[in-house]
Amino acid sequence: MQERNVEVAIIGAGTAGLSAWQAARQYHDEVVLIEDGKPGTTCARVGCMPSKLLIAAAESAHQVEDAAGFGIRVGRVDIDDRAVMARVRRERDAFVDSVLKSMQQIEPANLLAGRARFEDAHTLRVGEELLLRARTIIIATGSRPQAPRAFAPAGDRLIDSDAVFEWQTLPDSLAVFGAGIVGLELGQALSRLGVRLRLFGKSGSLGPFQDPAVRDYAEHTFNAAFYLDPAADVDTIERDGEQVAITFRERGSGKRLTERFDYLLAATGRRPNLDTLALEKAGLALNDEGVPLYNRFTMQCQRADGEASHVFIAGDASQELPLLHEANQQGRIAGHNAGRYPERRAGRRSTPLSIAFTDPQMATVGLSLEEARQRFGCEGIAEGGASFEDQGRAVVMRQNRGLMRLYAEHGSGQFLGAELFGPRVEHLAHLLAWALEQKMGVERMLEMPYYHPVLEEGLRSALRDLNRALLQGPAMGERCLEYGPGG
Ligand SMILES: Cc1cc2nc3c(=O)[nH]c(=O)nc-3n(C[C@H](O)[C@H](O)[C@H](O)COP(=O)(O)OP(=O)(O)OC[C@H]3O[C@@H](n4cnc5c(N)ncnc54)[C@H](O)[C@@H]3O)c2cc1C
C-alpha cells in the first residue's frame, strides 16, 4: 500500500470538483483530484449537453411540421433516428473532449484514478493501493439516477437518462416515469422524434413549478401534445417478452388499460454519490438521508461534535440545487476555503434560477410564491402576471402559449421572484435574475428600455400588472394605443 500526503484532496472530477481544483490550486501545489469513473463530467457526458442536443433535433422536426401553419409545405417529415442519435453522440463527444482538454492543465501526479473512501477524518483510501492523507478534503462526488424497486420487473428494459444517449436508434414506444425536468425534457423530445410515449408522474408536481396557475397551464399545454399524467394511478409493471406491460388508469377516460412499451425510462430523481464513501469514518454530522450538514456560504461540513470540519462539499453531492452553475459556484467556494483553511470566507451565492428546455420552456427565478408568502406573509406580497396568448411577437412566431407569474413585496415594491412558462423564457428568466441581483423594484424594471416587437414586451405587461397589484401604478390600459400592436 502506497502512502502520500497532500494539502487538498478532491473526490470527483465533475464540474464541482474541477472548479474546486482550480480555486484550491491557487494556494498549494499538492491539490489532487480523484476520479472513479470516466472523466469528462456528467454535464457533458450524460447531462445538460446531450439532452439539449436531443431536444435541438426534436425542435427541428417540430418546426418543419409546424411550417404548414405559416403556409409553407415541406411534405412528410422523415426522421432518420440513426442519424439523429449519431449527431447527439458526435457533438456530445466533442463537448467531452473539450473538458478533457481543459483538464490537461492538471499535473498528471495530481490526477488520481480510483474510488475514494474515508479511512479516517484525514485519510482516504483510493482504490486498493493508495492511502492519501490530506489536510482538507472536498466531497464533489455528484449524483446518479435512482429508480424505485417497483420498476425492477422491467429487467433490462428499465433504463435511465444516462442510457438514452447510447441508443443507436430510437424505440417505437416508451413509458417515462417522472414529471420532473429530466422526464419532461427527454419525454417531449422523444415524442417529437416519433416515439409513442406516455409520461407518468406521481405526486402531481410538474417540472420546477410551484405556482398552481402556471403548473396547471403547463400541464394542459403538454397534454395537448403528448400523454402526461402528473399524478398517475399505476397498478402494475410487468415484463412481457421484449416489452414492459404497464397497467394504469387512463387520465381523462378513467379506463383501466394495459399497454406495452419497448422501454421504461426512470426519470425519478437522482441520489447523491455518498453511500460508498464510508462517511461514518469522516466524523461528520449527517442528516437523515446521510448527507453531511454544511454551511451553504462556506460549503464547510459540520463535525459530529458540532464544530466546523476540514471537510467541504460541493455540487450535486450536497443535494442543494442539482444544477450546473450551482455545482460550479459551490466548487469554487469549497476550493477557496479548503485552500486557505483554517481561514474561511463566505462565498457569494447567486439568485436561484432554473430552466427546463421544454417547449414552451419552463423557468423559475428567485422566491417561489410559497417561499415569498412564508417570508413576507400573504398580505406582504403582491402577485401579477401576463399571458403569452395575445403577445405580439409570440403570435408572430406561432408560439403564443404560456403564462408568467411574478411576485413582489408590498411597500418597497421589491421584485421577489417569478415562474415563467412560454417561448424562449430562458432569456426572460435571466433578465429577471439579473434584476433580482440588482435588487430592482418593479417601477425601476418598468423604466428599462423595451424594443418592439419582442417577447420582453410580454414581461413588461406582467410587470405592469404586478405594479398595479402593488398599488404603485395605474391599471393596464389599452396596450396597443400606448405600445404598438401586440405590445
Ligand atoms: C439528463 C440531465 C440533464 C441536465 N440538464 C441540465 C441543464 O440543462 N442545466 C443545468 O444547469 N444542469 C443540468 N443537469 C444537472 C447537471 O448536469 C449537474 O448538476 C452537474 O453536472 C453536477 O456536477 P457535479 O460536479 O456535482 O457532479 P458530476 O459531474 O457527476 O461529478 C461527480 C464525479 O465524481 C465521481 N465520483 C463519485 N464518487 C466517487 C468516489 N467515491 N471516488 C472518486 N470519484 C467519484 C463521479 O464518477 C463523477 O465523475 C442535468 C442533469 C441530467 C442528468
Side-chain angles (χ1 to χ4, degrees), residues 151-160 163 167 239-244 261-265:
F151 297 172
D156 64 0
R157 292 280 151 170
L158 169 63
I159 55 152
D160 57 34
W167 277 339
R239 182 68 180 243
D240 182 7
E242 287 305 296
Q243 291 194 307
V244 187
F261 301 89
D262 292 334
Y263 287 97
L264 187 167
L265 169 62

PDB file of all heavy atoms in Angstrom, residues 151-160 163 167 239-244 261-265:
ATOM      1  N   PHE A 151     -39.990  -0.783 -10.260  1.00  0.00           N
ATOM      2  CA  PHE A 151     -39.664  -0.852 -11.690  1.00  0.00           C
ATOM      3  C   PHE A 151     -38.852  -2.105 -12.038  1.00  0.00           C
ATOM      4  O   PHE A 151     -38.628  -2.394 -13.217  1.00  0.00           O
ATOM      5  CB  PHE A 151     -38.843   0.371 -12.134  1.00  0.00           C
ATOM      6  CG  PHE A 151     -39.555   1.697 -12.005  1.00  0.00           C
ATOM      7  CD1 PHE A 151     -38.873   2.886 -12.216  1.00  0.00           C
ATOM      8  CD2 PHE A 151     -40.903   1.772 -11.695  1.00  0.00           C
ATOM      9  CE1 PHE A 151     -39.507   4.116 -12.103  1.00  0.00           C
ATOM     10  CE2 PHE A 151     -41.554   2.995 -11.569  1.00  0.00           C
ATOM     11  CZ  PHE A 151     -40.855   4.163 -11.771  1.00  0.00           C
ATOM     12  N   ALA A 152     -38.392  -2.841 -11.027  1.00  0.00           N
ATOM     13  CA  ALA A 152     -37.470  -3.960 -11.258  1.00  0.00           C
ATOM     14  C   ALA A 152     -38.002  -5.004 -12.252  1.00  0.00           C
ATOM     15  O   ALA A 152     -37.228  -5.528 -13.059  1.00  0.00           O
ATOM     16  CB  ALA A 152     -37.111  -4.617  -9.934  1.00  0.00           C
ATOM     17  N   PRO A 153     -39.333  -5.327 -12.246  1.00  0.00           N
ATOM     18  CA  PRO A 153     -39.804  -6.343 -13.197  1.00  0.00           C
ATOM     19  C   PRO A 153     -39.494  -5.998 -14.659  1.00  0.00           C
ATOM     20  O   PRO A 153     -39.484  -6.898 -15.502  1.00  0.00           O
ATOM     21  CB  PRO A 153     -41.321  -6.377 -12.952  1.00  0.00           C
ATOM     22  CG  PRO A 153     -41.496  -5.876 -11.556  1.00  0.00           C
ATOM     23  CD  PRO A 153     -40.399  -4.878 -11.335  1.00  0.00           C
ATOM     24  N   ALA A 154     -39.238  -4.743 -14.953  1.00  0.00           N
ATOM     25  CA  ALA A 154     -38.942  -4.377 -16.347  1.00  0.00           C
ATOM     26  C   ALA A 154     -37.593  -4.942 -16.801  1.00  0.00           C
ATOM     27  O   ALA A 154     -37.303  -4.994 -18.003  1.00  0.00           O
ATOM     28  CB  ALA A 154     -38.961  -2.853 -16.507  1.00  0.00           C
ATOM     29  N   GLY A 155     -36.752  -5.387 -15.853  1.00  0.00           N
ATOM     30  CA  GLY A 155     -35.472  -6.019 -16.194  1.00  0.00           C
ATOM     31  C   GLY A 155     -34.590  -5.107 -17.027  1.00  0.00           C
ATOM     32  O   GLY A 155     -34.452  -3.925 -16.726  1.00  0.00           O
ATOM     33  N   ASP A 156     -34.040  -5.675 -18.123  1.00  0.00           N
ATOM     34  CA  ASP A 156     -33.126  -4.843 -18.929  1.00  0.00           C
ATOM     35  C   ASP A 156     -33.886  -3.885 -19.844  1.00  0.00           C
ATOM     36  O   ASP A 156     -33.282  -3.195 -20.657  1.00  0.00           O
ATOM     37  CB  ASP A 156     -32.140  -5.704 -19.720  1.00  0.00           C
ATOM     38  CG  ASP A 156     -32.835  -6.571 -20.753  1.00  0.00           C
ATOM     39  OD1 ASP A 156     -34.084  -6.509 -20.853  1.00  0.00           O
ATOM     40  OD2 ASP A 156     -32.135  -7.318 -21.463  1.00  0.00           O
ATOM     41  N   ARG A 157     -35.187  -3.864 -19.714  1.00  0.00           N
ATOM     42  CA  ARG A 157     -35.974  -2.838 -20.436  1.00  0.00           C
ATOM     43  C   ARG A 157     -36.182  -1.601 -19.560  1.00  0.00           C
ATOM     44  O   ARG A 157     -36.872  -0.662 -19.947  1.00  0.00           O
ATOM     45  CB  ARG A 157     -37.323  -3.419 -20.863  1.00  0.00           C
ATOM     46  CG  ARG A 157     -37.163  -4.490 -21.933  1.00  0.00           C
ATOM     47  CD  ARG A 157     -36.963  -3.844 -23.284  1.00  0.00           C
ATOM     48  NE  ARG A 157     -36.182  -4.648 -24.204  1.00  0.00           N
ATOM     49  CZ  ARG A 157     -36.040  -4.359 -25.498  1.00  0.00           C
ATOM     50  NH1 ARG A 157     -36.637  -3.311 -26.003  1.00  0.00           N
ATOM     51  NH2 ARG A 157     -35.290  -5.081 -26.280  1.00  0.00           N
ATOM     52  N   LEU A 158     -35.626  -1.634 -18.359  1.00  0.00           N
ATOM     53  CA  LEU A 158     -35.633  -0.454 -17.479  1.00  0.00           C
ATOM     54  C   LEU A 158     -34.356   0.327 -17.758  1.00  0.00           C
ATOM     55  O   LEU A 158     -33.261  -0.212 -17.652  1.00  0.00           O
ATOM     56  CB  LEU A 158     -35.659  -0.899 -16.010  1.00  0.00           C
ATOM     57  CG  LEU A 158     -35.399   0.182 -14.960  1.00  0.00           C
ATOM     58  CD1 LEU A 158     -36.474   1.257 -15.011  1.00  0.00           C
ATOM     59  CD2 LEU A 158     -35.344  -0.430 -13.562  1.00  0.00           C
ATOM     60  N   ILE A 159     -34.509   1.595 -18.159  1.00  0.00           N
ATOM     61  CA  ILE A 159     -33.320   2.397 -18.452  1.00  0.00           C
ATOM     62  C   ILE A 159     -33.393   3.719 -17.704  1.00  0.00           C
ATOM     63  O   ILE A 159     -34.451   4.116 -17.213  1.00  0.00           O
ATOM     64  CB  ILE A 159     -33.181   2.683 -19.963  1.00  0.00           C
ATOM     65  CG1 ILE A 159     -34.453   3.341 -20.492  1.00  0.00           C
ATOM     66  CG2 ILE A 159     -32.863   1.431 -20.752  1.00  0.00           C
ATOM     67  CD1 ILE A 159     -34.187   4.204 -21.662  1.00  0.00           C
ATOM     68  N   ASP A 160     -32.226   4.393 -17.613  1.00  0.00           N
ATOM     69  CA  ASP A 160     -32.205   5.733 -17.025  1.00  0.00           C
ATOM     70  C   ASP A 160     -31.725   6.729 -18.075  1.00  0.00           C
ATOM     71  O   ASP A 160     -31.411   6.336 -19.210  1.00  0.00           O
ATOM     72  CB  ASP A 160     -31.335   5.754 -15.759  1.00  0.00           C
ATOM     73  CG  ASP A 160     -29.925   5.289 -16.036  1.00  0.00           C
ATOM     74  OD1 ASP A 160     -29.417   5.564 -17.140  1.00  0.00           O
ATOM     75  OD2 ASP A 160     -29.325   4.650 -15.148  1.00  0.00           O
ATOM     76  N   ALA A 163     -28.595   6.114 -20.217  1.00  0.00           N
ATOM     77  CA  ALA A 163     -28.623   5.111 -21.290  1.00  0.00           C
ATOM     78  C   ALA A 163     -29.230   5.660 -22.585  1.00  0.00           C
ATOM     79  O   ALA A 163     -28.893   5.193 -23.678  1.00  0.00           O
ATOM     80  CB  ALA A 163     -29.417   3.891 -20.825  1.00  0.00           C
ATOM     81  N   TRP A 167     -28.378   5.064 -27.172  1.00  0.00           N
ATOM     82  CA  TRP A 167     -29.214   4.409 -28.187  1.00  0.00           C
ATOM     83  C   TRP A 167     -28.665   4.699 -29.582  1.00  0.00           C
ATOM     84  O   TRP A 167     -28.357   5.859 -29.901  1.00  0.00           O
ATOM     85  CB  TRP A 167     -30.655   4.952 -28.115  1.00  0.00           C
ATOM     86  CG  TRP A 167     -31.516   4.314 -27.090  1.00  0.00           C
ATOM     87  CD1 TRP A 167     -31.356   3.098 -26.503  1.00  0.00           C
ATOM     88  CD2 TRP A 167     -32.729   4.866 -26.543  1.00  0.00           C
ATOM     89  NE1 TRP A 167     -32.386   2.859 -25.615  1.00  0.00           N
ATOM     90  CE2 TRP A 167     -33.232   3.925 -25.627  1.00  0.00           C
ATOM     91  CE3 TRP A 167     -33.428   6.054 -26.738  1.00  0.00           C
ATOM     92  CZ2 TRP A 167     -34.408   4.141 -24.913  1.00  0.00           C
ATOM     93  CZ3 TRP A 167     -34.591   6.279 -26.030  1.00  0.00           C
ATOM     94  CH2 TRP A 167     -35.076   5.315 -25.122  1.00  0.00           C
ATOM     95  N   ARG A 239     -42.866  -7.510 -16.980  1.00  0.00           N
ATOM     96  CA  ARG A 239     -42.135  -7.808 -18.213  1.00  0.00           C
ATOM     97  C   ARG A 239     -43.028  -8.685 -19.084  1.00  0.00           C
ATOM     98  O   ARG A 239     -43.629  -9.641 -18.585  1.00  0.00           O
ATOM     99  CB  ARG A 239     -40.843  -8.539 -17.838  1.00  0.00           C
ATOM    100  CG  ARG A 239     -39.951  -8.880 -18.997  1.00  0.00           C
ATOM    101  CD  ARG A 239     -39.364  -7.623 -19.622  1.00  0.00           C
ATOM    102  NE  ARG A 239     -38.513  -8.027 -20.720  1.00  0.00           N
ATOM    103  CZ  ARG A 239     -37.211  -7.808 -20.776  1.00  0.00           C
ATOM    104  NH1 ARG A 239     -36.612  -7.127 -19.836  1.00  0.00           N
ATOM    105  NH2 ARG A 239     -36.506  -8.232 -21.798  1.00  0.00           N
ATOM    106  N   ASP A 240     -43.113  -8.365 -20.372  1.00  0.00           N
ATOM    107  CA  ASP A 240     -43.910  -9.173 -21.286  1.00  0.00           C
ATOM    108  C   ASP A 240     -43.069  -9.379 -22.550  1.00  0.00           C
ATOM    109  O   ASP A 240     -43.032  -8.513 -23.422  1.00  0.00           O
ATOM    110  CB  ASP A 240     -45.221  -8.437 -21.603  1.00  0.00           C
ATOM    111  CG  ASP A 240     -46.115  -9.248 -22.517  1.00  0.00           C
ATOM    112  OD1 ASP A 240     -45.778 -10.420 -22.783  1.00  0.00           O
ATOM    113  OD2 ASP A 240     -47.135  -8.702 -22.978  1.00  0.00           O
ATOM    114  N   GLY A 241     -42.358 -10.517 -22.617  1.00  0.00           N
ATOM    115  CA  GLY A 241     -41.458 -10.753 -23.745  1.00  0.00           C
ATOM    116  C   GLY A 241     -40.380  -9.685 -23.770  1.00  0.00           C
ATOM    117  O   GLY A 241     -39.716  -9.431 -22.767  1.00  0.00           O
ATOM    118  N   GLU A 242     -40.240  -9.031 -24.907  1.00  0.00           N
ATOM    119  CA  GLU A 242     -39.225  -7.976 -25.041  1.00  0.00           C
ATOM    120  C   GLU A 242     -39.802  -6.609 -24.689  1.00  0.00           C
ATOM    121  O   GLU A 242     -39.203  -5.580 -25.016  1.00  0.00           O
ATOM    122  CB  GLU A 242     -38.667  -7.959 -26.470  1.00  0.00           C
ATOM    123  CG  GLU A 242     -37.742  -9.131 -26.772  1.00  0.00           C
ATOM    124  CD  GLU A 242     -36.595  -9.227 -25.763  1.00  0.00           C
ATOM    125  OE1 GLU A 242     -35.785  -8.310 -25.712  1.00  0.00           O
ATOM    126  OE2 GLU A 242     -36.557 -10.228 -25.000  1.00  0.00           O
ATOM    127  N   GLN A 243     -40.979  -6.597 -24.063  1.00  0.00           N
ATOM    128  CA  GLN A 243     -41.604  -5.310 -23.735  1.00  0.00           C
ATOM    129  C   GLN A 243     -41.953  -5.224 -22.247  1.00  0.00           C
ATOM    130  O   GLN A 243     -41.805  -6.197 -21.503  1.00  0.00           O
ATOM    131  CB  GLN A 243     -42.854  -5.126 -24.584  1.00  0.00           C
ATOM    132  CG  GLN A 243     -42.535  -4.918 -26.066  1.00  0.00           C
ATOM    133  CD  GLN A 243     -43.723  -4.404 -26.823  1.00  0.00           C
ATOM    134  OE1 GLN A 243     -44.792  -5.000 -26.756  1.00  0.00           O
ATOM    135  NE2 GLN A 243     -43.545  -3.303 -27.537  1.00  0.00           N
ATOM    136  N   VAL A 244     -42.393  -4.040 -21.860  1.00  0.00           N
ATOM    137  CA  VAL A 244     -42.852  -3.827 -20.486  1.00  0.00           C
ATOM    138  C   VAL A 244     -44.350  -3.533 -20.550  1.00  0.00           C
ATOM    139  O   VAL A 244     -44.774  -2.645 -21.302  1.00  0.00           O
ATOM    140  CB  VAL A 244     -42.140  -2.612 -19.846  1.00  0.00           C
ATOM    141  CG1 VAL A 244     -42.503  -2.503 -18.373  1.00  0.00           C
ATOM    142  CG2 VAL A 244     -40.640  -2.698 -20.025  1.00  0.00           C
ATOM    143  N   PHE A 261     -44.798  -1.248 -23.812  1.00  0.00           N
ATOM    144  CA  PHE A 261     -43.787  -0.280 -24.266  1.00  0.00           C
ATOM    145  C   PHE A 261     -42.450  -0.998 -24.452  1.00  0.00           C
ATOM    146  O   PHE A 261     -42.159  -1.971 -23.751  1.00  0.00           O
ATOM    147  CB  PHE A 261     -43.601   0.831 -23.215  1.00  0.00           C
ATOM    148  CG  PHE A 261     -44.856   1.597 -22.914  1.00  0.00           C
ATOM    149  CD1 PHE A 261     -45.729   1.158 -21.911  1.00  0.00           C
ATOM    150  CD2 PHE A 261     -45.187   2.744 -23.623  1.00  0.00           C
ATOM    151  CE1 PHE A 261     -46.897   1.864 -21.620  1.00  0.00           C
ATOM    152  CE2 PHE A 261     -46.351   3.453 -23.345  1.00  0.00           C
ATOM    153  CZ  PHE A 261     -47.211   3.012 -22.343  1.00  0.00           C
ATOM    154  N   ASP A 262     -41.648  -0.474 -25.365  1.00  0.00           N
ATOM    155  CA  ASP A 262     -40.319  -1.079 -25.584  1.00  0.00           C
ATOM    156  C   ASP A 262     -39.410  -0.879 -24.369  1.00  0.00           C
ATOM    157  O   ASP A 262     -38.593  -1.733 -24.056  1.00  0.00           O
ATOM    158  CB  ASP A 262     -39.656  -0.462 -26.823  1.00  0.00           C
ATOM    159  CG  ASP A 262     -40.388  -0.854 -28.089  1.00  0.00           C
ATOM    160  OD1 ASP A 262     -41.038  -1.923 -28.076  1.00  0.00           O
ATOM    161  OD2 ASP A 262     -40.325  -0.098 -29.078  1.00  0.00           O
ATOM    162  N   TYR A 263     -39.521   0.283 -23.739  1.00  0.00           N
ATOM    163  CA  TYR A 263     -38.670   0.576 -22.576  1.00  0.00           C
ATOM    164  C   TYR A 263     -39.459   1.349 -21.524  1.00  0.00           C
ATOM    165  O   TYR A 263     -40.436   2.043 -21.841  1.00  0.00           O
ATOM    166  CB  TYR A 263     -37.468   1.454 -22.982  1.00  0.00           C
ATOM    167  CG  TYR A 263     -36.415   0.727 -23.771  1.00  0.00           C
ATOM    168  CD1 TYR A 263     -36.404   0.807 -25.163  1.00  0.00           C
ATOM    169  CD2 TYR A 263     -35.435  -0.033 -23.140  1.00  0.00           C
ATOM    170  CE1 TYR A 263     -35.440   0.142 -25.911  1.00  0.00           C
ATOM    171  CE2 TYR A 263     -34.462  -0.696 -23.868  1.00  0.00           C
ATOM    172  CZ  TYR A 263     -34.469  -0.605 -25.254  1.00  0.00           C
ATOM    173  OH  TYR A 263     -33.521  -1.264 -25.981  1.00  0.00           O
ATOM    174  N   LEU A 264     -38.956   1.251 -20.301  1.00  0.00           N
ATOM    175  CA  LEU A 264     -39.446   2.119 -19.220  1.00  0.00           C
ATOM    176  C   LEU A 264     -38.272   3.028 -18.841  1.00  0.00           C
ATOM    177  O   LEU A 264     -37.216   2.538 -18.421  1.00  0.00           O
ATOM    178  CB  LEU A 264     -39.872   1.268 -18.012  1.00  0.00           C
ATOM    179  CG  LEU A 264     -40.556   1.959 -16.828  1.00  0.00           C
ATOM    180  CD1 LEU A 264     -41.174   0.906 -15.908  1.00  0.00           C
ATOM    181  CD2 LEU A 264     -39.651   2.854 -16.016  1.00  0.00           C
ATOM    182  N   LEU A 265     -38.441   4.318 -19.043  1.00  0.00           N
ATOM    183  CA  LEU A 265     -37.386   5.281 -18.670  1.00  0.00           C
ATOM    184  C   LEU A 265     -37.688   5.819 -17.268  1.00  0.00           C
ATOM    185  O   LEU A 265     -38.711   6.463 -17.057  1.00  0.00           O
ATOM    186  CB  LEU A 265     -37.339   6.436 -19.684  1.00  0.00           C
ATOM    187  CG  LEU A 265     -36.479   7.643 -19.304  1.00  0.00           C
ATOM    188  CD1 LEU A 265     -35.011   7.270 -19.144  1.00  0.00           C
ATOM    189  CD2 LEU A 265     -36.619   8.756 -20.352  1.00  0.00           C
TER     190      LEU A 265
END
